[in-house]
Amino acid sequence: MNTFRRPGRGRTHPEKELRFSFDSKVYTGYEGDTLASALIANGVHLVGRSFKYHRPRGFIGAGSEEANALVAFDRGPGRKTPNVRATTIELFEGLVAHSQNNWPDVKFDVAAMNDMFSVFFPAGFYNKTFMWPKSFWDKVYEPAIRRLAGLGPAPTQPDKDHYASTYGHCEILIAGAGPAGIAAALAASDAGGRVILADEQVELGGSLLSVPQAVIEGMPAWQWLENSLEILRARENVRLMPRTTVIGYYHDNFLGLVERLTDHERSPAAELPRECLHRIRAGRAVLATGAIERPLVFADNDRPGIMLASAAQTYLNRYGVVVGDNVAVFTSHDSAYEAAFDLSDANVRIAAIIDLREGVPEALLEEANNRGIDVTTSAVVTGTSGRHRVRQICVNTMKNGVVEGGAKTIICDAVLVSGGWTPSVHLFSHSKGQLKWCQRVGAYLPDAPNENTLCVGACNGTFGLSNVLEEGAKAGGDGRTYKTSEPLSGTGEIFQSVPTDRDQTRIKAFVDFQNDVTDKDIKLAVREGFRSIEHVKRYTTNGMATDQGKTSNLNALQIASKAINRPIEQVGLTTFRPPYTPTTFGAVLGYRDGDSFEVTRKTSVDMWAEENAAVFEPVGLWRRARYFPRNGEDMQTAVNRESAATRHSLGIFDASTLGKIEIVGPDAAEFLNRMYTNPWTKLAAGRCRYGLLLGEDGYITDDGVIGRLADDRFHVTTTTGGAPRVLAMMEDFLQTEWPSLDVWLTSVTEQWAVIALNGPNARKLIEPFVDGIDLSLKAFPHMAVKEGKICGIETRLFRVSFSGELGFEINVPAHFGRALWETLYKAGEQFDITPYGTETMHVLRAEKGFIIVGQDTDGTVTPDDAGMSWAIGKKKPDFVGKRSLARPDLVASGRKQLVGLFTEDPEIVLQEGAQIVADRDQPIPMHMIGHVTSSYWSSTLGRSIAMALVKDGRTLNGTNVFVPMPEQTHVAKIGGTVSYDPEGARLDVV
Amino acid sequence: MLLIRCPYCEEERPEVEFSYAGEAHIARPADPSQLNDEQWAEYLFIRTNARGIHYERWCHRHGCARYFNAVRDTVTDKLQMTYKAGEPKPDAIGPSGGDK
Amino acid sequence: MGTGRNTTIIRSNYLYDESARIYDHALDLWDGLSQELNYNVMYSKRGVMMLAHNVHDMQSFHRHIHANRLNGVDNQWLTPEEAKAYCPPLSISKNARYPVMGAALQKKGGVARHDSVAWGYARAAAALGVDIIQNCAVTGIKRAADGAVEGIETERGFIATPKVGVSAAGNSSVLMEMAGLRFPLESYPLQALVSEPVKPVFPCVVMSNTVHAYISQSDKGELVIGAGTDQYVSYSQHGALHIIEHTLASICEIFPLFKRMRMLRSWGGVVDVTPDRSPILGKTPVPGLYVNCGWGTGGFKATPGAGHLLAHTIAKDEPHKINAPFTLDRFRTGRLIDEAAAAAVAH
């Protein structure tokens, strides 16, 4: 058995002994221990080094408020977690943890030199130094500073665990399962609503777990707790959630909860998620988050062995572990006496109780006297010593608040401190509830809520077991009373900082233990002119460590308030930021991981493409086949082959990703008139027209072919990425600007698979399969659309071409897409049918000078800039964007216009995005007149082709411009955008 | 995540079902060609951006897909009410929750 | 006194000449800022890398890189392998949902400690005799019969002055309204978060507009992470969880190593955004009233430049040639400086 165990005490299971390793040394503990309680049971208090000065540090708390004892929790490769509080790690057989932020080891840490030179490291130190010589900053100072920063090592391998998330609803969500939370849950669940009771700890019970001697309703506290939990467990409307932290409180009673599912298990089942984020919308939130004891700020108050009195009490009563053999107590609050008495009753020597207060309740003094404990009032600890653990303390008495000389030395191996209690108002503050300073408690308490919230128990400044239980019950909806008895406790005084007789410039009295912020730092910040507590916080970094100031914020605030010489309520409070405790990224992202990071939209032909070795590219949410390499071809070779096949015989292309919107109703044509630049009234049923869509700012936002199926029915296509945006824009105008139009809009993108056939043999291929549509040139000319059947499948057949060749776009219900594709592909073998991807599609369209919105336009291009004034219905009184086209800058000269660009050396393929200048010899910064928007090798033309947006480009037709690249400047001639078959003869090949 | 009442569905639903659609009660001019450049720019770009009570539009994108209006306090983010497109601009309830 | 609390990124690789000039002007000033202020603003030239995840990104980044090069602005293209070498935690797996197809790197870009910048300026200004009144809100802008500025009302009284410069970020609309002006601005919540501090693991700044996230590591060891704005106008500074969920999913998609890291703190700020995502910096229709606003998510990087240009404009009553294009009038004429198309998300 461990030396510091007290058999018969605590809730651990001595019959289940567990081995674990810390810093490669093997220890034993019990089931039910935390890593912290097990280490303390083995007499280990030195567990880490502080952030800045690398001072030895031990445990300050027993729960999630722990500021010092951060360890690397090592569950093997891909499962190492830095900065975990040893106080929250549940022990299991074989657990491995390491101390961190020290080199070479925790007992001998080289960077502890920082402590010796710490007179040079006050708050804001970095800001005032390391500036000269200037060149040293980048190369010497900054890398050095960064190497010293950080706590544990970052993970070096991908996380092997997975995470989960849920949504949930309840009438009442209770955060914190201490007495107030449990009383609230009992009352609320009695009323029948759905109740969630969440607590960050493994066991529900909160403070009750640390005070077994309390009595509730005539029962020992632990018995009452067990009975109450039994009742709650039996109720179907209650969900008890241990190991679940309410991390944040968001808008409209939306709360985030993180449940830890496997970290406590020796060998968790592989299918179990490690953590789960529960996103709960609660009718009401009851916050029963308790309070955290406040340390006292005195010289060298950070040595291992110096800890919160409540923590020592928890270690004893909950884990059966004593924190030392000879323990001193330093307090300004009654509650530390309780811890001292419990330890004394467990045969620990209490070396002394040093109380800052003049007046201490008689009953406490009497109890101390009964146990033979020496209490000194109006006294102060002025210093401590001991290298890796506190060994002794110096105690002075005070008169009228002034420290008297003649320090007394007291030998001890632990010091319990208590400076009062800080209600945990974090969640209330997250919800934007207002806080108000309460002098009685010496802390900020919840005031006006912003949500449907009730705060109960210690987090509301309510102390005393029956008060707390009754407040909880009331929040849960009943007015019952509780009879309790409990150890003496209650009042205390808040000391802004502990008086001392020492030279204040030479001592370190820590406020924020993890970030090594001392009271001197805070006073310095105030001297330097910082009046806002937010700036004091950032200047000193107080409260910005991984505990987010749970034990330090109020002490810092009080010290700052005194230094500024203004009351606390005028100094303000720093904002509480979610999460309540550090939260694993994996838990927050939940299932949005790996393959399910974001949905991948796939067409019905996608699997065929995959089976046929397509190389894909992401386009918006879609993935599209980019090219179909054969026999190890590179992209260019494949594209050359695919375009030649299409130009000379037959190419097949999956165009299913095109956005499709069906516009139906008596006013459908009028609606299109108002939306698109083009006129629609006279378009005959069975015909198509290219449509250009502008934003209200006059710039091209989308385009696509629109077919009129009937007088009152249009089939609109959009760009692949633009479909949702275009539909939203149309709905917006229809619903809010023109509600009188009788029109319905329906997205049909997913409903139709679209197979594009291009090439001189396209008609020959499909003719045998088509029913009900006369495909002859005359009956079904370019830009015609008809409904009929293909292979017996209902189709909307378009005769359109984005390649310049004879082309058809066959729309069939999506689930027939692949079957039709395969049928056509097989039948197309006679024409050497060739599947092509988006890359070839781009080359073919660029040869024809067709634009891609978003590539050849960028949100600043008007129809005229793009050379598409022809698409504007001149007689239309209005359409979206029309008025903007008349704005001064949109009609001014010097606008960039889309032109063709032909390199002097036909082998040179310009880089898309390359910039264009008129004068190649000018110095940098050069005057750029445009850029290359599209550029390809055209195997058909045997040369490169490009399009570019060039200032006044159309007036420069035939002139040379220059494209300065890093290695050489290319010469190119401006020309038209259509390089292939400008007459359009290929469209009508028979 | 806000909880938003769709006035068409008559249900409170989470914000992720909705898209924000900008300030409300900015009607597109009946005849834009009659506006001078400044007036047109006002329509296109100038926004109240109220700190406090804000009239704004939402679309129940993943629900009924209808656009509607809302009154929200931009300091607390609390929605005071929602109402159908085309209904008159209501008075906000009580004083602005804004701090100025 | 505040810096908008963005993720402190400094870069100047913007597309348009006007933008490149204003941001590069700022970048030049960053270089000597610590020495000029005699206060270390911790400007760390760690390099800012923007990831390309599709062909469109590649075209857009090349356009930036070439424009930057000819403008004398540092920016270079990296292959996926080069990007990985520059930033080892980066995943360049071909099987990623959005595989990295390359990156644009501005080596001179980086981060600075935002608080230090504010403090350094405040100290230097105070030393020059500037009276800085902390915790004091402006409640009104007083104008004379001829319309010109006469002074400002504050919580602590009236200050008479013929010239007022407004540099109020998310609250710019509120201030402009005090002078009777309506502006093309909307204020949106912008969230950011930090991880727990860890030993140095992340050597630069990485941004991805396609996957929607940006990240760097602070001198304290925290990973500093952000994404785009929330969707609605708000002054609440109240963050929403679903935004953080998406942001961290994006980060872990690009940096799978970080999935086990832990979020320490998240917060929301307010950013004022113009229709073209470029600032308004110059004179206003009110004589004597000058404004510096509309920087959206990207104003921090321009701090020294914007400050200098606002000062110049106020002193001379006319804009410097660098900020001359950033007028309010451009929204009337349509002469927008539209970086939105190229950098729709984060700056």
Side-chain angles (χ1 to χ4, degrees):
Chain A
M1 196 186 67
N2 315 121
T3 327
F4 295 93
R5 288 281 175 195
R6 289 296 184 268
R9 286 183 177 262
R11 301 169 68 86
T12 54
H13 301 277
E15 71 282 7
K16 292 182 182 158
E17 198 170 78
L18 306 170
R19 279 168 306 161
F20 68 99
S21 127
F22 180 68
D23 276 346
S24 307
K25 196 172 164 195
V26 175
Y27 300 93
T28 59
Y30 297 154
E31 189 174 295
D33 264 328
T34 62
L35 176 60
S37 67
L39 284 169
I40 293 172
N42 285 281
V44 177
H45 279 255
L46 172 61
V47 288
R49 292 273 173 171
S50 69
F51 188 81
K52 191 157 72 174
Y53 301 130
H54 288 246
R55 285 170 65 109
R57 290 287 165 79
F59 307 95
I60 183 175
S64 67
E65 76 285 359
E66 176 60 42
N68 283 336
L70 305 186
V71 301
F73 184 21
D74 184 353
R75 307 205 66 175
R79 292 203 165 95
K80 291 180 187 170
T81 318
N83 304 337
V84 186
R85 291 156 180 74
T87 51
T88 62
I89 297 177
E90 294 174 49
L91 204 64
F92 56 80
E93 176 68 23
L95 183 146
V96 179
H98 308 283
S99 62
Q100 47 184 36
N101 208 28
N102 56 71
W103 185 85
D105 64 49
V106 72
K107 288 202 171 152
F108 180 79
D109 177 7
V110 169
M113 290 192 302
N114 284 0
D115 193 24
M116 292 156 68
F117 296 112
S118 64
V119 62
F120 302 120
F121 283 88
F125 165 70
Y126 293 142
N127 295 127
K128 294 172 211 155
T129 44
F130 296 132
M131 277 174 288
W132 311 100
K134 181 167 177 261
S135 60
F136 267 44
W137 168 245
D138 296 338
K139 302 276 184 300
V140 182
Y141 299 140
E142 206 221 340
I145 290 170
R146 282 181 178 267
R147 267 198 304 278
L148 285 174
L151 290 169
T156 53
Q157 294 187 39
D159 193 345
K160 283 195 179 155
D161 285 312
H162 64 279
Y163 300 84
S165 56
T166 72
Y167 285 104
H169 300 83
C170 64
E171 273 64 48
I172 297 198
L173 176 97
I174 303 162
I182 287 174
L186 286 168
S189 57
D190 210 20
R194 290 165 298 178
V195 175
I196 292 175
L197 176 61
D199 194 287
E200 61 178 351
Q201 303 207 45
V202 50
E203 282 195 277
L204 304 181
S207 61
L208 292 180
L209 299 170
S210 301
V211 286
Q213 63 273 47
V215 174
I216 303 172
E217 301 290 78
M219 275 174 267
W222 288 1
Q223 185 62 50
W224 179 85
L225 175 61
E226 193 43 50
N227 291 357
S228 302
L229 293 176
E230 204 54 50
I231 294 168
L232 292 172
R233 274 186 214 111
R235 287 184 179 162
E236 280 183 5
N237 57 333
V238 177
R239 189 167 175 201
L240 299 181
M241 301 184 74
R243 296 193 181 95
T244 303
T245 306
V246 181
I247 58 163
Y249 192 151
Y250 302 92
H251 295 95
D252 295 334
N253 267 11
F254 191 69
L255 293 99
L257 283 63
V258 170
E259 183 179 11
R260 289 169 297 281
L261 294 159
T262 62
D263 266 6
H264 59 286
E265 295 213 30
R266 185 186 178 192
S267 333
E271 68 275 14
L272 266 186
R274 178 173 173 238
E275 296 177 6
C276 181
L277 175 70
H278 302 283
R279 291 152 294 183
I280 308 292
R281 182 82 67 178
R284 166 179 286 178
V286 174
L287 304 181
T289 46
I292 293 168
E293 201 167 20
R294 215 177 295 176
L296 288 168
V297 180
F298 58 99
D300 295 331
N301 59 343
D302 65 325
R303 291 190 199 284
I306 303 177
M307 65 171 67
L308 296 171
S310 58
Q313 193 179 20
T314 295
Y315 285 120
L316 174 62
N317 290 329
R318 189 162 165 196
Y319 302 103
V321 171
V322 296
V323 298
D325 292 324
N326 183 20
V327 175
V329 179
F330 181 31
T331 185
S332 66
H333 196 277
D334 296 350
S335 60
Y337 286 76
E338 203 185 314
F341 299 158
D342 285 359
L343 282 163
S344 173
D345 296 347
N347 298 322
V348 170
R349 180 171 184 271
I350 302 300
I353 295 179
I354 299 104
D355 199 317
L356 277 157
R357 298 171 296 177
E358 278 178 34
V360 176
E362 275 304 322
L364 288 178
L365 294 175
E366 203 179 306
E367 287 277 342
N369 193 37
N370 290 345
R371 289 173 172 85
I373 300 172
D374 179 34
V375 179
T376 313
T377 56
S378 284
V380 60
V381 175
T382 50
T384 72
S385 54
R387 184 151 171 245
H388 290 150
R389 171 109 184 237
V390 64
R391 293 285 170 236
Q392 62 178 39
I393 57 175
C394 297
V395 177
N396 294 55
T397 53
M398 294 186 295
K399 200 159 195 176
N400 301 325
V402 178
V403 176
E404 298 179 311
K408 187 168 77 174
T409 298
I410 295 175
I411 305 290
C412 59
D413 61 358
V415 182
L416 315 190
V417 295
S418 178
W421 292 81
T422 306
S424 292
V425 295
H426 307 69
L427 292 173
F428 182 79
S429 178
H430 293 172
S431 77
K432 301 280 168 186
Q434 285 169 23
L435 300 170
K436 195 176 175 186
W437 177 254
C438 172
Q439 196 59 41
R440 172 181 62 85
V441 181
Y444 276 95
L445 294 182
D447 189 26
N450 183 45
E451 300 284 356
N452 190 353
T453 314
L454 285 173
C455 295
V456 296
C459 79
N460 198 34
T462 303
F463 295 96
L465 200 44
S466 55
N467 296 338
V468 162
L469 288 163
E470 282 162 19
E471 192 169 54
K474 195 174 163 201
D478 82 27
R480 67 168 296 179
T481 56
Y482 281 91
K483 281 201 176 59
T484 64
S485 76
E486 59 185 311
L488 298 163
S489 74
T491 63
E493 285 176 31
I494 302 299
F495 280 74
Q496 292 180 328
S497 56
V498 173
T500 182
D501 63 337
R502 308 217 177 166
D503 177 355
Q504 300 226 14
T505 62
R506 300 186 68 91
I507 61 171
K508 278 208 213 60
F510 287 92
V511 182
D512 183 321
F513 291 87
Q514 197 182 114
N515 268 356
D516 275 347
V517 180
T518 65
D519 67 338
K520 250 185 317 195
D521 292 320
I522 293 166
K523 291 169 186 163
L524 174 67
V526 171
R527 275 206 307 281
E528 299 215 347
F530 295 105
R531 290 290 177 274
S532 140
I533 193 67
E534 283 285 352
H535 279 288
V536 171
K537 162 180 152 180
R538 292 201 209 100
Y539 193 64
T540 61
T541 74
N542 191 91
M544 297 183 79
T546 67
D547 60 322
Q548 287 217 69
K550 290 190 177 64
T551 51
S552 66
N553 279 345
L554 260 289
N555 279 335
L557 184 56
Q558 285 172 317
I559 292 164
S561 148
K562 192 176 174 189
I564 296 171
N565 199 20
R566 284 171 76 178
I568 276 194
E569 50 269 43
Q570 287 180 27
V571 176
L573 182 65
T574 55
T575 313
F576 292 89
R577 314 271 189 204
Y580 178 69
T581 49
T583 302
T584 312
F585 285 7
V588 177
L589 64 92
Y591 294 111
R592 287 189 190 85
D593 190 23
D595 290 342
S596 51
F597 164 63
E598 198 169 84
V599 65
T600 304
R601 295 177 79 180
K602 295 177 181 175
T603 72
S604 57
V605 183
D606 180 272
M607 280 308 286
W608 185 93
E610 188 172 304
E611 288 158 21
N612 285 272
V615 173
F616 291 93
E617 65 163 333
V619 182
L621 285 176
W622 294 93
R623 74 165 191 174
R624 303 191 74 181
R626 193 173 185 191
Y627 57 101
F628 292 81
R630 284 184 188 163
N631 309 320
E633 286 173 326
D634 63 12
M635 183 169 84
Q636 189 62 59
T637 315
V639 166
N640 292 347
R641 175 179 50 74
E642 290 170 12
S643 33
T646 306
R647 292 261 180 250
H648 296 128
S649 178
L650 184 57
I652 184 167
F653 175 72
D654 179 11
S656 304
T657 63
L658 278 182
K660 295 172 276 292
I661 300 167
E662 195 154 316
I663 299 187
V664 183
D667 297 322
E670 174 58 18
F671 178 70
L672 285 172
N673 276 337
R674 297 186 191 184
M675 290 302 304
Y676 282 80
T677 61
N678 324 63
W680 300 94
T681 312
K682 289 181 183 163
L683 183 71
R687 298 292 296 169
C688 304
R689 179 166 288 163
Y690 171 81
L692 196 57
L693 183 69
L694 309 185
E696 194 71 288
D697 58 6
Y699 301 123
I700 295 171
T701 188
D702 204 85
D703 69 347
V705 168
I706 298 175
R708 190 167 199 170
L709 301 168
D711 279 352
D712 63 351
R713 184 175 295 262
F714 290 83
H715 180 109
V716 173
T717 63
T718 74
T719 58
T720 291
R725 189 176 63 236
V726 171
L727 180 63
M729 178 176 167
M730 286 181 174
E731 283 285 2
D732 191 349
F733 276 96
L734 177 60
Q735 291 180 33
T736 65
E737 300 295 349
W738 310 315
S740 62
L741 291 185
D742 192 355
V743 180
W744 288 90
L745 312 175
T746 310
S747 165
V748 292
T749 303
E750 303 267 358
Q751 277 63 38
W752 296 104
V754 185
I755 298 170
L757 289 165
N758 281 275
N761 288 315
R763 180 184 286 107
K764 285 179 211 149
L765 172 66
I766 62 169
E767 223 155 16
F769 297 111
V770 173
D771 287 325
I773 304 171
D774 177 355
L775 292 182
S776 67
L777 238 170
K778 203 167 164 203
F780 199 60
H782 181 56
M783 298 302 266
V785 57
K786 279 222 163 59
E787 290 173 287
K789 289 203 165 171
I790 184 163
C791 299
I793 307 164
E794 160 201 6
T795 182
R796 287 180 179 175
L797 185 62
F798 285 75
R799 206 191 131 193
V800 292
S801 174
F802 199 43
S803 65
E805 301 298 331
L806 170 64
F808 297 90
E809 286 185 2
I810 308 163
N811 287 249
V812 291
H815 51 282
F816 289 114
R818 177 161 181 176
L820 180 64
W821 176 282
E822 290 190 84
T823 303
L824 295 173
Y825 190 68
K826 182 135 187 51
E829 279 170 8
Q830 57 183 314
F831 304 114
D832 192 21
I833 191 169
T834 300
Y836 66 91
T838 50
E839 195 65 25
T840 294
M841 178 266 281
H842 279 150
V843 174
L844 299 176
R845 65 91 198 172
E847 289 167 347
K848 284 294 292 178
F850 296 140
I851 65 162
I852 298 273
V853 171
Q855 178 175 348
D856 301 296
T857 70
D858 64 359
T860 66
V861 176
T862 67
D864 183 64
D865 297 341
M868 296 167 83
S869 295
W870 53 263
I872 292 178
K874 304 288 183 297
K875 291 179 190 153
K876 293 205 297 181
D878 192 16
F879 54 81
V880 173
K882 180 177 167 73
R883 173 63 185 84
S884 283
L885 294 176
R887 289 187 289 163
D889 198 60
L890 278 71
V891 296
S893 65
R895 291 196 62 83
K896 289 180 180 167
Q897 298 169 331
L898 195 68
V899 294
L901 204 56
F902 300 89
T903 47
E904 190 169 61
D905 176 350
E907 299 289 326
I908 296 286
V909 180
L910 295 169
Q911 192 169 58
E912 285 165 350
Q915 296 289 322
I916 298 162
V917 300
D919 170 11
R920 64 184 298 169
D921 298 320
Q922 61 186 313
I924 282 173
M926 286 191 170
H927 177 65
M928 289 166 266
I929 59 170
H931 76 283
V932 177
T933 61
S934 290
S935 175
Y936 307 94
W937 173 255
S938 165
S939 55
T940 302
L941 301 169
R943 62 155 300 134
S944 70
I945 56 166
M947 288 197 274
L949 281 167
V950 178
K951 205 168 277 184
D952 289 325
R954 290 197 292 269
T955 66
L956 298 175
N957 196 24
T959 59
N960 277 344
V961 291
F962 305 94
V963 180
M965 296 299 282
E967 59 284 3
Q968 71 173 113
T969 294
H970 303 301
V971 183
K973 182 174 283 179
I974 289 180
T977 51
V978 186
S979 313
Y980 176 78
D981 185 28
E983 305 79 26
R986 303 283 303 171
L987 291 170
D988 288 335
V989 173
V990 184
Chain B
M1 190 185 309
L2 303 179
L3 201 54
I4 300 171
R5 182 178 176 79
C6 172
Y8 295 98
C9 300
E10 300 188 340
E11 275 192 57
E12 281 199 319
R13 308 292 300 172
E15 182 193 334
V16 285
E17 289 187 14
F18 299 84
S19 352
Y20 181 73
E23 187 172 346
H25 300 293
I26 300 176
R28 188 172 192 271
D31 184 358
S33 68
Q34 295 302 303
L35 271 58
N36 65 30
D37 290 329
E38 199 159 340
Q39 290 164 327
W40 182 246
E42 164 97 15
Y43 162 70
L44 280 184
F45 299 125
I46 303 296
R47 296 294 177 263
T48 306
N49 199 23
R51 185 184 171 105
I53 295 301
H54 191 238
Y55 294 82
E56 63 193 21
R57 306 188 316 137
W58 289 83
C59 174
H60 195 182
R61 185 78 62 209
H62 304 293
C64 64
R66 302 292 297 271
Y67 284 78
F68 60 90
N69 294 329
V71 185
R72 188 173 52 90
D73 186 328
T74 60
V75 176
T76 63
D77 290 336
K78 288 281 174 200
L79 279 149
Q80 289 198 344
M81 68 179 99
T82 55
Y83 52 103
K84 293 174 181 170
E87 289 182 3
K89 185 173 178 176
D91 291 330
I93 304 163
S96 158
D99 51 0
K100 293 286 168 331
Chain C
M1 187 162 68
T3 58
R5 288 233 244 112
N6 45 71
T7 45
T8 72
I9 295 168
I10 294 168
R11 66 182 179 93
S12 69
N13 48 353
Y14 282 76
L15 183 58
Y16 293 102
D17 295 352
E18 298 90 336
S19 310
R21 273 183 206 121
I22 201 164
Y23 288 105
D24 218 40
H25 177 58
L27 199 59
D28 285 343
L29 294 174
W30 275 115
D31 220 4
L33 192 62
S34 292
Q35 288 72 25
E36 191 185 342
L37 299 178
N38 192 25
Y39 199 79
N40 194 338
V41 300
M42 320 285 277
Y43 171 35
S44 173
K45 280 176 259 183
R46 313 171 67 62
V48 174
M49 196 160 84
M50 303 173 72
L51 301 177
H53 298 276
N54 52 42
V55 174
H56 181 264
D57 283 350
M58 292 173 69
Q59 291 160 342
S60 167
F61 289 6
H62 279 125
R63 185 178 170 197
H64 280 73
I65 285 167
H66 294 307
N68 290 156
R69 179 169 48 83
L70 300 186
N71 262 324
V73 173
D74 159 48
N75 200 3
Q76 69 187 90
W77 177 256
L78 302 183
T79 63
E81 292 72 27
E82 288 166 338
K84 170 105 183 144
Y86 197 78
C87 182
L90 178 68
S91 163
I92 54 169
S93 163
K94 298 266 187 293
N95 300 321
R97 174 66 184 81
Y98 293 103
V100 173
M101 296 175 82
L105 171 68
Q106 184 171 39
K107 277 191 169 165
K108 271 173 73 181
V111 291
R113 172 98 186 263
H114 57 108
D115 285 324
S116 304
V117 175
W119 300 333
Y121 268 112
R123 282 165 55 110
L128 290 169
V130 176
D131 191 3
I132 299 172
I133 307 169
Q134 297 182 53
N135 292 333
C136 176
V138 172
T139 55
I141 295 175
K142 195 171 174 208
R143 295 171 61 183
D146 66 354
V149 164
E150 275 189 326
I152 57 168
E153 302 283 356
T154 78
E155 286 175 340
R156 303 196 204 163
F158 180 72
I159 301 172
T161 171
K163 289 188 177 187
V164 173
V166 173
S167 196
N171 282 302
S172 297
S173 290
V174 179
L175 271 290
M176 286 297 109
E177 204 193 335
M178 290 176 190
L181 297 175
R182 281 163 55 80
F183 257 54
L185 290 174
E186 290 187 294
S187 295
Y188 293 98
L190 177 69
Q191 290 193 70
L193 64 99
V194 295
S195 74
E196 294 183 313
V198 288
K199 289 293 173 196
V201 62
F202 204 80
C204 57
V205 182
V206 171
M207 308 171 58
S208 167
N209 286 342
T210 295
V211 180
H212 289 270
Y214 49 105
I215 176 171
S216 63
Q217 186 172 22
S218 75
D219 50 11
K220 288 183 63 194
E222 298 160 334
L223 297 177
V224 184
I225 290 167
T229 59
D230 287 18
Q231 58 175 342
Y232 49 81
V233 163
S234 175
Y235 293 81
S236 72
Q237 299 187 272
H238 194 173
L241 182 59
H242 62 285
I243 305 288
I244 301 283
E245 291 172 34
H246 280 281
T247 304
L248 285 177
S250 301
I251 287 297
C252 294
E253 163 74 3
I254 315 171
F255 306 101
L257 285 185
F258 295 154
K259 209 171 93 187
R260 221 177 170 88
M261 295 276 299
R262 299 195 297 176
M263 167 167 71
L264 172 58
R265 194 165 61 236
S266 63
W267 66 92
V270 188
V271 295
D272 51 325
V273 178
T274 61
D276 64 357
R277 304 293 190 279
S278 288
I280 302 168
L281 207 181
K283 299 171 73 166
T284 70
V286 173
L289 184 65
Y290 308 86
V291 71
N292 168 37
C293 67
W295 290 92
T297 57
F300 178 74
K301 65 178 73 69
T303 303
H308 168 243
L309 297 168
L310 179 64
H312 178 101
T313 308
I314 294 174
K316 309 265 181 186
D317 194 37
E318 62 182 48
H320 190 282
K321 67 177 192 300
I322 295 177
N323 65 313
F326 294 88
T327 59
L328 179 60
D329 195 47
R330 72 180 189 269
F331 297 98
R332 180 184 65 81
T333 64
R335 196 173 189 78
L336 303 186
I337 305 160
D338 200 340
E339 297 284 340
V345 190
H347 282 240

